[in-house]
Amino acid sequence: MIYKYNPIEDCYATKKKIYIFRNEIEKFILKNKNITLLDFGCGNANDCGKFLISPEYKYIGFDIHIPSLKFAEKNFGNKNVSFCSKVDNKKYDIIIISEVLEHLKHPMETLKLLNKKLKKNGIILGSVPNGYGLTEIEKFIIHKFGVYSFARYIYGFFKEKKKIVNTVPFNRESGHIQFFTLGNLKRVIK
């Protein structure tokens, strides 16, 4: 497979995750034909999904955030790629669950559901942030002390009021509610 890697957020962890996912997908394709891949929680497909889309298999992106799905369909949809807000009754060869579990109230139930949607000999590939890195600490401080709200309030005094249009939709309402260490992630997976 030939992929171009050029994410907006070119950080080591994102690049490594995509590299691992693609390597596992390529190994799977060598042994299997007519592959279907479900990207569960694909969002707008701008961070991970677009690097997993390939003409070698059918890619289905699932998410609950409709504006993100519309963006993904418009920018990445084709005859082999589709996006949906409801998971069908089909089984999949490969299921991707990248940076999703930390947003769910009941991650174990979701993993059980996805396991049932997996074909025999299929694989689930996933990732979660470690929950204790610099990004998480920064977000905790910003939200705990209302830094963004305060900055927007002050900014409003100095700037002309203009409607800001975000061209890439993102589900900002769905924050992290789970924080995984390697040990507790292994327990959830078992």
Side-chain angles (χ1 to χ4, degrees):
M1 277 187 252
I2 297 173
Y3 293 95
K4 290 181 182 176
Y5 180 80
N6 187 18
I8 295 166
E9 187 180 308
D10 189 10
C11 67
Y12 174 76
T14 301
K15 194 171 187 176
K16 183 177 178 183
K17 168 184 67 178
I18 291 167
Y19 176 80
I20 290 168
F21 287 175
R22 291 191 317 204
N23 274 348
E24 292 302 315
I25 292 167
E26 287 177 19
K27 283 192 255 178
F28 193 87
I29 287 174
L30 289 175
K31 299 175 189 171
N32 302 279
K33 301 293 176 214
N34 301 318
I35 305 300
T36 55
L37 181 147
L38 173 66
D39 187 355
F40 186 86
C42 66
N44 58 37
N46 217 21
D47 293 329
C48 184
K50 71 180 179 183
F51 302 108
L52 302 178
I53 292 169
S54 169
E56 295 187 42
Y57 50 82
K58 183 156 179 62
Y59 172 101
I60 298 96
F62 163 82
D63 205 278
I64 60 169
H65 191 246
I66 302 304
S68 291
L69 288 173
K70 288 179 180 178
F71 175 89
E73 185 67 46
K74 178 181 176 194
N75 289 280
F76 308 112
N78 65 50
K79 68 178 180 135
N80 248 12
V81 177
S82 61
F83 296 90
C84 60
S85 61
K86 291 189 172 126
V87 178
D88 56 26
N89 291 326
K90 296 178 184 172
K91 292 200 176 231
Y92 299 90
D93 299 289
I94 301 170
I95 297 175
I96 303 288
I97 184 164
S98 174
E99 312 297 313
V100 173
L101 293 176
E102 65 274 11
H103 297 274
L104 305 175
K105 248 185 209 177
H106 305 287
M108 284 196 288
E109 284 78 7
T110 300
L111 286 173
K112 287 176 187 175
L113 168 85
L114 292 176
N115 194 45
K116 289 178 184 175
K117 301 202 104 356
L118 199 60
K119 288 182 183 176
K120 186 178 180 183
N121 300 321
I123 58 172
I124 295 177
L125 301 171
S127 64
V128 295
N130 70 9
Y132 302 101
L134 291 175
T135 301
E136 288 79 14
I137 292 168
E138 176 188 14
K139 285 182 180 176
F140 171 78
I141 291 169
I142 285 169
H143 293 294
K144 181 75 173 174
F145 299 106
V147 175
Y148 280 150
S149 299
F150 181 71
R152 280 191 206 112
Y153 178 78
I154 297 299
Y155 184 75
F157 284 112
F158 299 105
K159 282 291 181 184
E160 179 183 328
K161 302 258 189 231
K162 291 182 183 176
K163 184 174 180 176
I164 297 171
V165 177
N166 188 357
T167 57
V168 179
F170 181 77
N171 186 355
R172 295 185 194 323
E173 294 80 34
S174 179
H176 293 186
I177 57 175
Q178 304 286 341
F179 297 95
F180 295 100
T181 61
L182 184 58
N184 67 17
L185 180 62
K186 284 181 179 179
R187 283 190 293 281
V188 168
I189 292 169
K190 274 187 176 180

